[in-house]
Amino acid sequence: MTFKALFLDLDGTSLNDNNSLSPALQEILITLKQKGIQIIFSTGRSFAGALPFAKAIGGTEFMINYNGARVFDFKNEKILHQATLPKMVLEQVFDFSKQYQYPPIFYHNNVIYTKDGIPHHYTCPGERFEVLDPHHDWVNETLTKALFVMPEIELTKHLHLAYDHFYGASVSTSSPTYLEIMPQGINKSVGAQHVLEALNIEPQDCLAFGDQLNDFELLSLVEHPFIMGNANDALKSHFPERIIDTNINDGVAKTLDRLFELKYF
């Protein structure tokens, strides 16, 4: 088998429960880079929220953020692709929030707007949290994605409600408690296709690892998908033969070690 590119989700996949790459995975990714393998982190996080992990392996040529709504080209220092939420969808976000009583969180560039300006996850240098001022005209702002945080027991129910509620948007989940709203047609595979075109690499030469529904399209795109043992049950049902160990048991590192015969473990 020939592998030329590796797409990696972060949370629940590449990162352990301490919000970091394990020493094993970090070393293996550096080794693969030295072998000429393209490493592309593909995440729902902001650019600043993902950048430390690219730096931890000595940098990458591309990075996919906001579930494919933004692709950055480090080599040419430019945004390769970007999409934002239209006014119609922003109005639907506020309607959904009012109906189901979950405050929206918005992302754009490296700014995250929350009801009280308080971080709802690990923060990284360069990320900034600001208050979602209820008196501001948010539907006319430029925003990349919306997020609702809710109890895990409520997520599946509200995912299906969101499928019915939103039109002109893409709906998915990125964790057991995160419901995500992106621009229509946007998902990680869209970002990946921009990267592959720039690199002149075909999907059959690619691997991808993921754990949530927002990874589904990317995992379906590549020839060699791998699903974490801690993944969403619905995602596992689509790839029952591709399930590996969990993120906390270094599932990604162990799989790469086996595939590339690195003999790290």
Side-chain angles (χ1 to χ4, degrees):
M1 290 184 288
T2 301
F3 302 120
K4 297 181 179 179
L6 166 59
F7 292 92
L8 288 169
D9 173 50
L10 285 174
D11 297 283
T13 300
S14 301
L15 304 184
N16 56 32
D17 288 356
N18 294 318
N19 192 48
S20 61
L21 300 171
S22 72
L25 182 56
Q26 184 174 354
E27 185 171 333
I28 285 170
L29 293 180
I30 291 170
T31 299
L32 293 183
K33 278 186 58 188
Q34 292 169 348
K35 290 178 177 290
I37 308 298
Q38 289 285 339
I39 312 296
I40 305 104
F41 289 115
S42 181
T43 176
R45 288 186 178 216
S46 70
F47 178 81
L51 186 59
F53 308 107
K55 288 183 175 179
I57 63 169
T60 60
E61 287 194 31
F62 296 91
M63 189 158 62
I64 300 169
N65 299 102
Y66 302 127
N67 301 313
R70 188 180 191 271
V71 179
F72 193 76
D73 177 344
F74 287 97
K75 188 175 181 179
N76 295 299
E77 297 185 341
K78 69 176 185 179
I79 295 173
L80 187 63
H81 161 73
Q82 184 163 304
T84 56
L85 294 167
K87 178 178 180 178
M88 173 185 71
V89 173
L90 292 172
E91 291 171 341
Q92 294 171 46
V93 168
F94 284 102
D95 289 343
F96 189 87
S97 174
K98 183 177 181 180
Q99 186 170 351
Y100 299 109
Q101 296 299 297
Y102 288 106
I105 297 169
F106 292 107
Y107 288 68
H108 187 64
N109 291 336
N110 294 317
V111 183
I112 304 168
Y113 302 93
T114 70
K115 180 181 179 181
D116 48 18
I118 296 175
H120 59 285
H121 57 55
Y122 288 104
T123 57
C124 293
E127 280 190 311
R128 188 171 82 249
F129 284 79
E130 294 191 3
V131 174
L132 187 68
D133 184 347
H135 304 295
H136 184 71
D137 181 19
W138 291 103
V139 299
N140 286 306
E141 283 287 352
T142 300
L143 300 164
T144 305
K145 78 166 188 176
L147 170 71
F148 294 99
V149 180
M150 59 191 63
E152 184 171 349
I153 195 172
E154 293 290 329
L155 186 65
T156 299
K157 169 187 171 182
H158 286 84
L159 173 63
H160 290 288
L161 290 170
Y163 285 147
D164 292 335
H165 180 89
F166 288 94
Y167 54 93
S170 295
V171 176
S172 193
T173 63
S174 60
S175 90
T177 60
Y178 285 7
L179 175 64
E180 306 243 5
I181 314 299
M182 286 83 63
Q184 187 171 31
I186 290 298
N187 57 66
K188 291 183 181 183
S189 76
V190 173
Q193 288 175 75
H194 283 279
V195 171
L196 293 178
E197 182 178 350
L199 292 170
N200 194 28
I201 293 175
E202 297 297 326
Q204 58 261 34
D205 296 323
C206 300
L207 308 94
F209 292 78
D211 73 306
Q212 291 293 327
L213 291 179
N214 65 331
D215 297 306
F216 172 74
E217 291 87 357
L218 175 54
L219 292 165
S220 300
L221 172 70
V222 303
E223 184 74 17
H224 308 283
F226 295 96
I227 289 70
M228 306 307 295
N230 51 284
N232 174 287
D233 287 340
L235 186 67
K236 285 181 178 179
S237 70
H238 288 288
F239 304 93
E241 306 300 320
R242 307 297 295 178
I243 299 170
I244 61 171
D245 209 341
T246 64
N247 66 319
I248 60 173
N249 286 332
D250 244 345
V252 175
K254 290 175 180 175
T255 302
L256 293 174
D257 183 63
R258 173 178 56 82
L259 291 171
F260 289 92
E261 300 179 343
L262 300 176
K263 297 181 172 58
Y264 184 94
F265 291 95

